[in-house]
Amino acid sequence: MEKIENKKTAGRWKLLAVLAVCASPLIASYFTYYVIKPGPKNNYGTLIDPRQYPMPSLNLIDQDGKVTELSSLKGKWLMLQIDEASCAEACQRKLLEMRQLRLAQGKGMDRIERVWLITDSQAVPEQLKPGIAGTHMLRGDKNKLEKWLPTENGTSLQDHIYLVDPLGNLMMRYPKDADPNKIKKDLIKLLKASAIG
């Protein structure tokens, strides 16, 4: 009789232990949210809900005159810049910053691609090309891009750098005259946290 009672008691303790293990993540999340409370956002860029901005078919034209899509670069993090081929000073600065940001990721730089979406049919100045080697230069319709990519009030597409995740989701927009060091921190965190791309 005593052995049966001991087995029942041991069985109850095992059941309680299993329940405690299963419930611990839920208890921890409630404790974190209601007691510790999450702090302010720690990303620099503005997060974008990709469900509101699904990637459309853009019918982009590559340097060889072939039609392509951004989805051809799926599997990589994409930094997007949008501007005319003449590429004024602000455009050139962003292209250089995108290059430096990619290089700053060290071993992770191969996970990132730079894309310049050119919104007109003019020629890209030859003197600009050596400094942006490795950047995908694709021509696209400005109206289509404006319908897809959200801007901040009082800004235009040309003012921002956008980030697309390896699954093809538009996920972040950086402000006009963005601080490259803060973008770098965002990229480091994203690459560290992400197992994709």
Side-chain angles (χ1 to χ4, degrees), residues 60-68 129 136-139:
L60 303 168
I61 308 296
D62 68 14
Q63 291 299 101
D64 299 322
K66 294 177 183 171
V67 177
T68 187
K129 291 181 181 178
H136 297 271
M137 293 186 286
L138 305 172
R139 294 183 189 271

Side-chain angles (χ1 to χ4, degrees), residues 3-13:
K3 284 185 180 179
I4 293 171
E5 279 301 316
N6 286 343
K7 283 184 179 179
K8 281 183 180 178
T9 305
R12 286 186 189 125
W13 281 112

